[in-house]
Amino acid sequence: MLGQSTSDIEMKERLIANVKKEVKQIMEESVTKKFVHEDSSTVVSLCGAVEACLSQGLRRRALGLFKTSSTTALLHKISNQCDEAAYVSKKIHEIEATDPSKRSSSSSDSIIKPPILTKKGSSSSVGGTSSTNASGVVNSTPTIKYLWIRIALYEKKLARIIDHLVTNANRYYDKDALVADPDYGSILSSLLVGPCALEYTRAKTNDHFWTDPTANDLVQRHIIPSQSTPQATRRPMLNIKRIHTSSTDDSGISTYKSSSPASTAKDYVESLHQNSRATLLYGKNNVLVHPKDVAEPMPGYLSLHQSIASLTIKWTPNQLMNGYNEQSLPSSAGSIVSASDVDKSFYWAYVMNINVDDIVYVHCHQNRSSEETSGTIILVGHDGVQRPPIHFPEGGHMAQFLSCLETGLLPNGQLDPPIWSHKGIGRIFPWPAKSRRRIGGLPSLLENNDEMPIDYVFRVVNKSNPEEFLATHSIMEIGRTSPYRRHLSSCSTNESSDCSSKSISLDLVENTSGQQQQQHQTNQVTSIALVCTTMKRQIISRAFYGWLAYCRHLSTVRTHLSGLVHGRITPDIGADNGLTKERWRELHDENGVVSQESEVYRLVYYGTVSHEIRKEVWPYLLGHYTFGMTPSERKELDENTRHYYETTMSEWLAVEAIVRQLDKEKTAHAVAKLSSGGSASDSKVKSNGVDVDVEMENEVFEENGFSDLSDPEVEDEKTAKHENAMEIYEAEQKDETLTAPPVGPNLELKSSPSNSSYETVGTDFVDYVDKENFPMSPKLTNLTAVIVTDASIDMTNLPQSDSNSIAFDEINGTRDNLETVNEELSPNSLDALQEPKSSCVSPASSNGGIYSSEMLENFGLNLHRIEKDVQRCDRNFWYFANDNLDKLRNVITTYVYEHLDIGYMQGMCDLLAPLLVIFDDESLSYGCFCRLMERMIENFPNGGAMDMHFANMRSLIQILDSEMYDLMHAHGDYTHFYFCYRWFLLDFKRELLYADVFAVWECIWSAKHVSSGHFVLFLALALLENYRDIILSNSMDFTDIIKFFNEMAERHNVSQILKTARNLVLQLQTLIENK
Amino acid sequence: MATRKKVLLKVIILGDSSVGKTSLMNQYVNKRFSNQYKATIGADFLTKEVVVDDRVVTMQIWDTAGQERFQSLGVAFYRGADCCVLVFDTTAPNTFKNLDSWRDEFLIQASPRNPEHFPFVVLGNKVDLENRAVSTKRAQQWCQSKNDIPYFETSAKEGINVDIAFQTIAKNALAQESDEGIDSAFSPSLTLGSSSDSNNRPNSSDCSC
């Protein structure tokens, strides 16, 4: 190969980028899933990416490796020079020795491997294809591919091995190979350091009986049963799907879908065991099931699980039972391992997962010819569809299964007729062919009168409503003496009772029994009269109670819930695209006035706002602007808001300065006390002369996160400038009655770059170096300990504008710079800021205020709280990663300063952050935030809205989804809905990604004018409904549901949820409307 | 298999806001630290399987909101706790001062059967920072005065003492749980708690420098 062509470099870039991507993914997985499973698809794709890098430019011929494309041989080759390689090599030998089947594919020469990998010459295309092909193939043989890379990764030795390869690259690689490249080689090895530090688990170790499944697992498991209808055409689809999703999709759920079948199989097999939610009532292996499209019955594991909500019959083919450990397909002994892997996935189609509630009849066919013990059971569902027959082997297993089933049905259901009611002896099975029982009412559907197979049919009675059940049965008891009556009466009940409707068919069969007919002809006349009266009564009472219940239900709905939605239903015609830029422009009249209020709300409610016009629309939606305002009015409002905001800000900045100074005093005392106590570790602090008598217990302002010890060097020049400003400020402070310490000549000002002060969370506050530099006279301590931070830059300037609005406007021009100033401290902008210094007036005196100590204390406390939360507000979102935290802090503090009686509460930052992201303007954000908080403040602990939300949720879910309500009630009763707390407090802000938060918030705001002022409730309901089946099938309790939703945060399908929420509103609206 | 009863230990972490509750939990369960944790709203929990005295138990560690206003929500989460972890920030004396009220609040809301002997563990977090403001001695004194609560000085950031602290938490929680069955078996659990406590003391004072 010639030199470094551009395509070569491109290819290397691609290879490395691929590794980078996979490393990122695996690191993310380790964070989100708390651990990385060894069989995780991300591991496989990472290994694939590494393999691609390693095999590029490998000198196979020279190394005698030309027979193979794999790097496994390379590993063995270097094992005598590299300890790590030797270790891994040994491990692989061990594994291959215990399981020879893995040998063939441990080197990637397996048949399915993409052919490009083998050809050295065409290696330029490796990078492009490996990401899709390799991982796609890998997904079918997850445990085997790239064995050595996997082992090295698990053993945390991969990075070292690669390192070795890179340093000795000239021995193994072509000159232009990626590994031999000085840059790429070291990048590759350093990339892998991270994944090598992770913990990889096989989840099912001896110590793990079972673990709580993650939310993703639950979502995934939910998908498996829904695929259980056997369809031959589906098989290839599944594989293709996996291949596509595995490496291309990286959104949460879809990545999960692509996770290897082996781990899914493992989860499924684990779910067959007894666990905390389901009791295993029955389990039998090698039970044959004969699926429709399969020639022969397949052996599998039959089990019966009882959870609180349901009784489930499961059957799993043997191929899947040992699926996740080893492949033990009897038929594939001679075939290729990977092929059997591919085959395995379609066994999922045969898995049976039957909820007994869905079953009406159990047909039993006993085979008398063979020792009377083997038998077949066919389950028939409500829909009349027969499930594949289940063949029990000999040994009375069918009888056992039936009795277990009957036990499982109790107390809320039973088999009818009961198996063990026969003569009270119980469980006599099989019955003689001409048993009285059969005469007494157990019909044979197949009507086989000969003695060979004996068939029985059991009806599964499930009394969802115990009263109805009893009622039916009392009628049936009477019916025993009079079949006509029984027939009629059961007919009369069928309209309301599920179980009685089932009984009709039985009754009809029974009535054909000649023996019984003879019996009741004796008292026919009386019975007919009796039947008529009973029937009448039944019909009337049922009708009445039905009507009554309906009325009650409606009255509940009306009284409790009619306030939740608007009576008038707004149509969604033409609102699919929401409020687009074009539509928004159209809605402006020639004067720039938007007056079609309801149309805007309607469009936003049904289709949200286009991102580029959010900044313009939101102030309307939040009520900051009112519709019909002219542009000049809006501008005036903005000006006023800004003026108000800045005035308020200057006020609190002045107070903040005082608070800080008080802080420093106390800090000094605290440090002094600590050091005099001898427990302070820092010897630099001199306690001489510092007053240590102050009682530490009274200190409030000790925690200070504003300055940064870790970055003490500030350029002298800049410091000096700050000093100037500070001196003036201090001079003014001196005049104040509250703090009047003599100004020391050696006033020191420390400033620290804002970004670094935010990087550490509430850390450093005392600058020991400073202390050392100054004489520690008790009085001067007050001043020398003052550390002014970024906020003080604003402070020195903003107060001036308070009395001089012209000066303020000048500063306004540089306001935006201020944020960057804090970070960069560029001399230019500092100079600009220094200009209006001459017109400086004491901020406190301008206000004429002396602040009460309670007020100072209160504000100081809030400042600290705000600071703590601002520092950790959405730092992983780009907008707040480094900059803009000061804006957040300023707006929040201004709001809190205005509402000191309420104070700062956790969550306010979260509510402000999206506004700030959209507006990127402090005063506008402030104005809108105030409007937002008018509603939201009630959700906080001092308001009553949260309890109201919970109560409304309770009513809503009772009416709209009583099954879910029953589940919540039954499982430790979490109908207090505390798991929705964060949802309501923050308007779902923490549950969703930023882009989705915007959309959801718009909907909430506009819903108030379109459909419901309580749209959040319907969003919450929609979230629950969206995962309804998962919640119900897993019988989630309080902790499960908290865990589930915490893990699902930022993974919801928001458009779906919004749609569901709007539909729920509509549902309730129609329910109320239909009076 | 799976016939053995699963032991679930519920552990509640309490303490002022931003003392490092979430970080401690994550450091222990996931072995990693991030400075990007958000302020906890509501509650979250993580589970971890641990081996205590050759028994495999599952620890369910509940992380709560730190601002005292949100305590009213606590009762739903505190119920059935087996151990309560009180966390303070060694650089912020106030957070230490508030331990008293956190402890009282917990005892009121959780109302454990035997409040006098309910297992608490105190963690002084952020010892990696230099601006220490609560001395080891002061913290130990407080712990001793409250029925000899085990005390650890931890750093969630550096992972200092986190494992050993939670091992003790698990141990004491397990002792508490087995107590629930047999009330007379209480005294051994006390020695268990205090012995591990004294074992770990030298450890904890070592790293306070």
Side-chain angles (χ1 to χ4, degrees):
Chain A
M1 286 193 191
L2 304 165
Q4 292 241 350
S5 64
T6 46
S7 70
D8 234 16
I9 294 168
E10 256 174 43
M11 186 251 311
K12 284 178 196 167
E13 282 285 354
R14 265 211 305 272
L15 286 171
I16 281 287
N18 207 23
V19 177
K20 257 184 208 162
K21 193 189 92 191
E22 298 302 342
V23 166
K24 189 170 160 251
Q25 204 144 53
I26 206 167
M27 298 311 270
E28 270 171 11
E29 180 174 333
S30 74
V31 174
T32 52
K33 286 181 88 179
K34 332 284 187 210
F35 66 90
V36 180
H37 195 273
E38 285 193 5
D39 292 338
S40 163
S41 60
T42 47
V43 173
V44 185
S45 17
L46 174 67
C47 292
V50 172
E51 167 94 20
C53 286
L54 289 183
S55 46
Q56 189 262 329
L58 185 62
R59 288 162 65 187
R60 293 178 212 288
R61 242 166 265 273
L63 294 166
L65 303 175
F66 47 87
K67 276 268 172 74
T68 163
S69 73
S70 154
T71 52
T72 313
L74 176 67
L75 173 85
H76 294 314
K77 196 110 189 157
I78 61 166
S79 62
N80 41 2
Q81 289 131 33
C82 175
D83 288 343
E84 283 85 11
Y87 179 83
V88 174
S89 171
K90 200 173 132 233
K91 276 234 148 187
I92 288 170
H93 279 306
E94 280 168 16
I95 290 167
E96 288 183 342
T98 52
D99 181 16
S101 70
K102 287 188 174 175
R103 170 175 278 281
S104 59
S105 46
S106 67
S107 52
S108 59
D109 283 336
S110 53
I111 9 78
I112 331 170
K113 175 189 55 60
I116 325 115
L117 280 176
T118 53
K119 284 182 192 153
K120 196 174 120 198
S122 63
S123 56
S124 60
S125 57
V126 167
T129 52
S130 62
S131 65
T132 47
N133 278 358
S135 49
V137 167
V138 157
N139 262 318
S140 57
T141 60
T143 53
I144 293 145
K145 265 268 196 172
Y146 313 124
L147 186 64
W148 83 263
I149 301 180
R150 278 165 166 279
I151 300 291
L153 192 62
Y154 301 154
E155 301 293 334
K156 308 180 184 204
K157 302 205 185 298
L158 184 59
R160 302 292 296 276
I161 294 173
I162 306 278
D163 208 33
H164 177 87
L165 282 174
V166 169
T167 42
N168 302 297
N170 51 349
R171 238 186 281 176
Y172 311 112
Y173 283 92
D174 292 332
K175 253 194 298 209
D176 55 348
L178 182 143
V179 178
D181 189 291
D183 294 333
Y184 289 122
S186 56
I187 289 174
L188 178 64
S189 66
S190 55
L191 270 177
L192 292 168
V193 172
C196 278
L198 295 180
E199 292 291 335
Y200 297 88
T201 59
R202 283 208 69 89
K204 197 181 171 72
T205 64
N206 290 334
D207 294 338
H208 291 64
F209 294 119
W210 62 277
T211 45
D212 286 318
T214 62
N216 263 338
D217 285 343
L218 294 175
V219 174
Q220 175 64 10
R221 274 183 208 177
H222 181 60
I223 293 163
I224 297 174
S226 62
Q227 290 175 342
S228 63
T229 36
Q231 275 179 22
T233 49
R234 184 164 239 151
R235 287 172 220 160
M237 285 301 290
L238 276 175
N239 282 331
I240 290 164
K241 257 191 181 161
R242 289 219 170 95
I243 287 166
H244 283 305
T245 51
S246 60
S247 58
T248 49
D249 263 341
D250 47 10
S251 69
I253 294 169
S254 38
T255 311
Y256 189 81
K257 274 179 192 157
S258 68
S259 77
S260 64
S263 66
T264 328
K266 180 216 65 170
D267 288 337
Y268 187 80
V269 171
E270 279 184 1
S271 80
L272 295 177
H273 299 143
Q274 177 137 342
N275 56 43
S276 72
R277 291 190 199 89
T279 319
L280 184 64
L281 291 180
Y282 180 83
K284 171 84 188 83
N285 57 1
N286 292 325
V287 175
L288 298 171
V289 164
H290 195 156
K292 273 185 203 110
D293 55 346
V294 171
E296 286 190 344
M298 294 157 43
Y301 177 73
L302 181 78
S303 52
L304 185 62
H305 301 264
Q306 185 169 43
S307 66
I308 297 169
S310 65
L311 186 65
T312 315
I313 299 168
K314 291 185 179 182
W315 179 82
T316 316
N318 279 352
Q319 287 85 349
L320 293 176
M321 288 306 291
N322 23 21
Y324 107 93
N325 284 330
E326 291 300 318
Q327 315 301 322
S328 59
L329 263 184
S331 61
S332 71
S335 68
I336 306 143
V337 178
S338 53
S340 72
D341 276 328
V342 175
D343 285 342
K344 219 184 65 178
S345 61
F346 73 75
Y347 284 105
W348 284 114
Y350 301 121
V351 168
M352 292 205 302
N353 196 344
I354 301 168
N355 189 338
V356 178
D357 288 343
D358 298 335
I359 298 301
V360 186
Y361 291 109
V362 179
H363 295 204
C364 306
H365 306 280
Q366 270 194 288
N367 197 346
R368 292 207 70 175
S369 60
S370 58
E371 307 286 310
E372 305 188 11
T373 48
S374 72
T376 303
I377 284 182
I378 299 171
L379 304 168
V380 184
H382 284 299
D383 43 8
V385 174
Q386 291 193 0
R387 304 295 193 271
I390 305 168
H391 304 278
F392 284 89
E394 294 174 14
H397 291 298
M398 182 164 83
Q400 270 176 27
F401 174 75
L402 284 173
S403 67
C404 285
L405 181 66
E406 182 163 55
T407 318
L409 284 168
L410 293 172
N412 289 325
Q414 65 176 71
L415 287 179
D416 187 53
I419 296 172
W420 48 298
S421 67
H422 179 58
K423 277 187 171 176
I425 304 163
R427 296 196 176 97
I428 293 179
F429 204 93
W431 302 290
K434 301 236 164 168
S435 77
R436 260 201 275 157
R437 182 181 178 75
R438 202 169 161 202
I439 299 160
L442 188 71
S444 157
L445 280 194
L446 300 181
E447 295 184 25
N448 283 321
N449 290 326
D450 58 308
E451 291 193 0
M452 280 311 278
I454 304 174
D455 302 320
Y456 296 98
V457 177
F458 295 97
R459 185 164 60 96
V460 178
V461 179
N462 185 15
K463 35 170 186 167
S464 50
N465 184 341
E467 284 165 29
E468 277 178 358
F469 184 76
L470 287 177
T472 318
H473 271 250
S474 64
I475 293 161
M476 284 168 81
E477 287 309 313
I478 306 165
R480 285 272 143 77
T481 57
S482 159
Y484 280 68
R485 187 173 139 194
R486 181 180 167 190
H487 172 66
L488 291 167
S489 59
S490 59
C491 274
S492 72
T493 61
N494 81 57
E495 61 191 52
S496 61
S497 152
D498 214 16
C499 65
S500 55
S501 70
K502 287 177 207 163
S503 69
I504 298 168
S505 58
L506 196 70
D507 296 339
L508 287 168
V509 177
E510 241 173 86
N511 287 335
T512 62
S513 156
Q515 288 174 336
Q516 292 212 337
Q517 257 170 1
Q518 281 181 342
Q519 227 176 16
H520 40 67
Q521 264 167 3
T522 53
N523 49 7
Q524 210 174 27
V525 183
T526 44
S527 69
I528 286 175
L530 208 60
V531 163
C532 289
T533 43
T534 318
M535 190 174 71
K536 244 189 254 170
R537 238 179 270 150
Q538 285 284 335
I539 291 171
I540 292 168
S541 73
R542 295 245 161 213
F544 174 73
Y545 280 113
W547 175 78
L548 192 66
Y550 182 69
C551 287
R552 279 185 185 151
H553 177 79
L554 268 190
S555 92
T556 316
V557 172
R558 288 212 195 100
T559 51
H560 293 280
L561 303 172
S562 59
L564 297 181
V565 291
H566 297 177
R568 138 191 71 86
I569 296 169
T570 312
D572 60 347
I573 307 147
D576 292 344
N577 295 325
L579 190 58
T580 58
K581 196 173 177 179
E582 295 72 37
R583 195 81 188 79
W584 178 241
R585 293 283 163 263
E586 282 165 30
L587 286 164
H588 283 76
D589 64 16
E590 65 275 19
N591 299 319
V593 176
V594 185
S595 46
Q596 282 176 279
E597 190 172 343
S598 54
E599 178 64 4
V600 172
Y601 287 135
R602 193 183 73 89
L603 287 172
V604 175
Y605 177 67
Y606 286 109
T608 74
V609 183
S610 298
H611 189 72
E612 71 263 26
I613 53 164
R614 283 201 163 116
K615 197 175 173 176
E616 294 171 49
V617 181
W618 277 27
Y620 286 101
L621 296 179
L622 281 159
H624 181 63
Y625 296 158
T626 45
F627 286 94
M629 268 184 164
T630 61
S632 60
E633 281 171 336
R634 292 201 298 266
K635 201 167 173 234
E636 196 188 324
L637 180 68
D638 282 344
E639 286 298 319
N640 288 341
T641 310
R642 199 178 64 199
H643 183 73
Y644 180 78
Y645 172 72
E646 277 160 353
T647 313
T648 314
M649 195 169 153
S650 66
E651 274 174 38
W652 67 255
L653 281 169
V655 181
E656 186 191 19
I658 299 169
V659 165
R660 280 202 199 299
Q661 197 164 1
L662 288 172
D663 266 14
K664 300 313 149 191
E665 287 172 40
K666 298 205 161 142
T667 301
H669 291 313
V671 172
K673 189 175 181 185
L674 193 67
S675 57
S676 66
S679 46
S681 50
D682 200 318
S683 57
K684 288 175 188 168
V685 178
K686 298 195 172 79
S687 61
N688 303 348
V690 177
D691 189 358
V692 295
D693 289 334
V694 176
E695 182 46 61
M696 204 159 164
E697 298 297 315
N698 293 329
E699 286 160 6
V700 188
F701 306 119
E702 286 161 307
E703 323 114 284
N704 187 325
F706 294 99
S707 79
D708 190 3
L709 187 70
S710 63
D711 192 11
E713 302 105 39
V714 176
E715 288 166 45
D716 286 342
E717 189 193 351
K718 289 168 189 167
T719 314
K721 274 180 182 154
H722 280 266
E723 210 172 308
N724 268 345
M726 194 58 195
E727 262 172 41
I728 287 156
Y729 176 68
E730 286 296 337
E732 291 153 11
Q733 287 289 304
K734 192 176 65 175
D735 296 326
E736 295 303 314
T737 51
L738 198 97
T739 54
V743 180
N746 43 9
L747 179 69
E748 171 77 359
L749 178 71
K750 266 282 182 187
S751 178
S752 56
S754 67
N755 63 339
S756 62
S757 80
Y758 280 117
E759 244 147 45
T760 53
V761 179
T763 51
D764 319 310
F765 67 125
V766 175
D767 193 293
Y768 297 113
V769 187
D770 269 7
K771 293 243 144 177
E772 206 175 28
N773 291 341
F774 296 107
M776 300 294 266
S777 80
K779 279 198 164 181
L780 273 176
T781 312
N782 293 341
L783 277 175
T784 52
V786 170
I787 297 165
V788 183
T789 62
D790 8 303
S792 68
I793 298 171
D794 297 338
M795 182 180 74
T796 54
N797 297 287
L798 289 175
Q800 301 145 11
S801 62
D802 188 21
S803 56
N804 186 346
S805 58
I806 299 162
F808 205 105
D809 284 339
E810 282 176 49
I811 296 166
N812 282 335
T814 60
R815 283 288 304 153
D816 285 350
N817 293 342
L818 263 176
E819 312 311 329
T820 47
V821 169
N822 291 336
E823 211 185 333
E824 295 163 11
L825 286 173
S826 80
N828 281 344
S829 54
L830 267 178
D831 286 342
L833 288 170
Q834 297 297 317
E835 270 174 54
K837 193 170 65 184
S838 52
S839 61
C840 198
V841 179
S842 163
S845 62
S846 75
N847 211 21
I850 298 170
Y851 304 103
S852 74
S853 61
E854 294 94 71
M855 188 269 188
L856 287 176
E857 192 170 316
N858 189 7
F859 185 62
L861 200 63
N862 279 302
L863 274 179
H864 293 293
R865 286 189 180 138
I866 293 166
E867 192 63 25
K868 279 176 189 168
D869 278 8
V870 164
Q871 282 165 358
R872 45 185 181 160
C873 182
D874 294 323
R875 299 301 296 277
N876 48 1
F877 186 67
W878 62 271
Y879 187 82
F880 295 112
N882 295 307
D883 314 314
N884 301 316
L885 286 174
D886 283 325
K887 295 182 190 172
L888 193 68
R889 177 177 177 273
N890 289 343
V891 178
I892 281 282
T893 315
T894 309
Y895 178 82
V896 169
Y897 183 78
E898 291 284 281
H899 301 85
L900 265 184
D901 50 323
I902 297 164
Y904 173 76
M905 279 180 284
Q906 288 193 322
M908 288 183 178
C909 277
D910 285 278
L911 289 173
L912 172 62
L915 299 183
L916 203 54
V917 171
I918 289 294
F919 297 129
D920 196 32
D921 175 296
E922 284 183 41
S923 64
L924 186 55
S925 300
Y926 171 76
C928 290
F929 181 65
C930 288
R931 287 312 184 98
L932 178 64
M933 285 307 284
E934 283 171 12
R935 175 171 63 89
M936 299 309 288
I937 195 71
E938 288 300 310
N939 289 331
F940 284 87
N942 53 333
M946 194 57 83
D947 288 331
M948 211 179 67
H949 286 322
F950 292 154
N952 285 333
M953 276 298 280
R954 214 166 296 142
S955 313
L956 276 175
I957 214 154
Q958 251 177 314
I959 281 161
L960 296 175
D961 191 346
S962 59
E963 197 182 342
M964 177 100 81
Y965 182 84
D966 290 343
L967 173 99
M968 290 175 161
H969 194 71
H971 289 74
D973 194 2
Y974 53 104
T975 50
H976 48 62
F977 286 96
Y978 281 175
F979 64 92
C980 304
Y981 186 82
R982 193 173 72 185
W983 303 0
F984 294 136
L985 189 79
L986 305 180
D987 267 356
F988 299 88
K989 189 255 176 185
R990 288 271 180 100
E991 320 309 316
L992 311 168
L993 294 168
Y994 257 90
D996 297 331
V997 171
F998 301 149
V1000 166
W1001 279 20
E1002 287 157 2
C1003 263
I1004 295 173
W1005 300 333
S1006 52
K1008 191 180 164 192
H1009 307 276
V1010 177
S1011 66
S1012 165
H1014 296 79
F1015 193 63
V1016 279
L1017 294 173
F1018 297 92
L1019 278 169
L1021 275 175
L1023 270 182
L1024 286 173
E1025 288 302 306
N1026 201 36
Y1027 304 102
R1028 181 177 190 276
D1029 293 346
I1030 297 171
I1031 293 168
L1032 289 180
S1033 63
N1034 289 288
S1035 309
M1036 288 192 176
D1037 63 12
F1038 184 46
T1039 52
D1040 295 328
I1041 210 150
I1042 285 189
K1043 185 165 181 268
F1044 182 78
F1045 279 109
N1046 277 341
E1047 284 173 10
M1048 285 309 288
E1050 306 191 344
R1051 288 155 181 247
H1052 303 294
N1053 178 353
V1054 170
S1055 58
Q1056 179 61 45
I1057 282 159
L1058 279 175
K1059 207 171 138 197
T1060 314
R1062 285 189 287 254
N1063 282 337
L1064 285 166
V1065 175
L1066 193 65
Q1067 208 178 317
L1068 193 62
Q1069 280 177 324
T1070 37
L1071 193 65
I1072 291 169
E1073 205 180 44
N1074 290 343
K1075 293 170 185 173
Chain B
M1 69 176 287
T3 49
R4 202 165 150 186
K5 188 187 164 243
K6 184 184 145 123
V7 182
L8 183 78
L9 300 177
K10 187 170 176 181
V11 176
I12 315 284
I13 308 182
L14 298 179
D16 280 6
S17 73
S18 93
V19 293
K21 297 179 291 296
T22 307
S23 298
L24 278 167
M25 177 176 83
N26 273 290
Q27 175 61 260
Y28 176 60
V29 176
N30 299 326
K31 301 269 172 276
R32 61 180 54 89
F33 175 81
S34 157
N35 52 7
Q36 297 193 342
Y37 292 125
K38 299 171 186 178
T40 307
I41 305 277
D44 192 5
F45 71 92
L46 292 177
T47 50
K48 178 159 172 131
E49 306 265 330
V50 275
V51 182
V52 183
D53 303 334
D54 300 323
R55 287 183 76 181
V56 180
V57 297
T58 303
M59 262 218 267
Q60 190 182 72
I61 306 168
W62 283 81
D63 178 26
T64 57
Q67 195 169 354
E68 65 278 9
R69 297 265 188 98
F70 292 90
Q71 274 181 37
S72 55
L73 207 65
V75 65
F77 304 112
Y78 298 172
R79 202 178 290 138
D82 297 301
C83 183
C84 177
V85 183
L86 301 173
V87 187
F88 70 95
D89 177 350
T90 52
T91 68
N94 258 352
T95 64
F96 175 69
K97 239 179 65 191
N98 286 339
L99 288 189
D100 261 318
S101 66
W102 280 113
R103 183 175 171 274
D104 295 344
E105 186 68 28
F106 175 81
L107 289 176
I108 291 166
Q109 296 217 6
S111 50
R113 214 183 284 175
N114 198 344
E116 282 301 298
H117 299 282
F118 186 85
F120 284 92
V121 172
V122 171
L123 306 182
N125 195 29
K126 306 195 188 178
V127 290
D128 55 298
L129 300 182
E130 286 174 41
N131 51 336
R132 198 180 161 118
V134 180
S135 68
T136 309
K137 204 173 130 200
R138 212 173 137 205
Q140 278 173 347
Q141 271 170 4
W142 186 86
C143 291
Q144 268 160 16
S145 75
K146 303 286 175 195
N147 231 334
D148 237 353
I149 299 177
Y151 172 62
F152 295 92
E153 303 208 325
T154 59
S155 162
K157 191 177 180 184
E158 311 286 340
I160 300 167
N161 269 346
V162 175
D163 273 338
I164 199 159
F166 274 94
Q167 194 66 31
T168 307
I169 290 161
K171 228 172 189 177
N172 293 3
L174 189 63
Q176 147 85 10
E177 181 160 79
S178 40
D179 280 347
E180 306 231 310
I182 319 145
D183 274 346
S184 59
F186 200 78
S187 40
S189 81
L190 254 186
T191 46
L192 190 143
S194 52
S195 71
S196 62
D197 172 30
S198 54
N199 285 343
N200 295 319
R201 274 231 173 94
N203 240 336
S204 48
S205 37
D206 278 349
C207 60
S208 64
C209 49

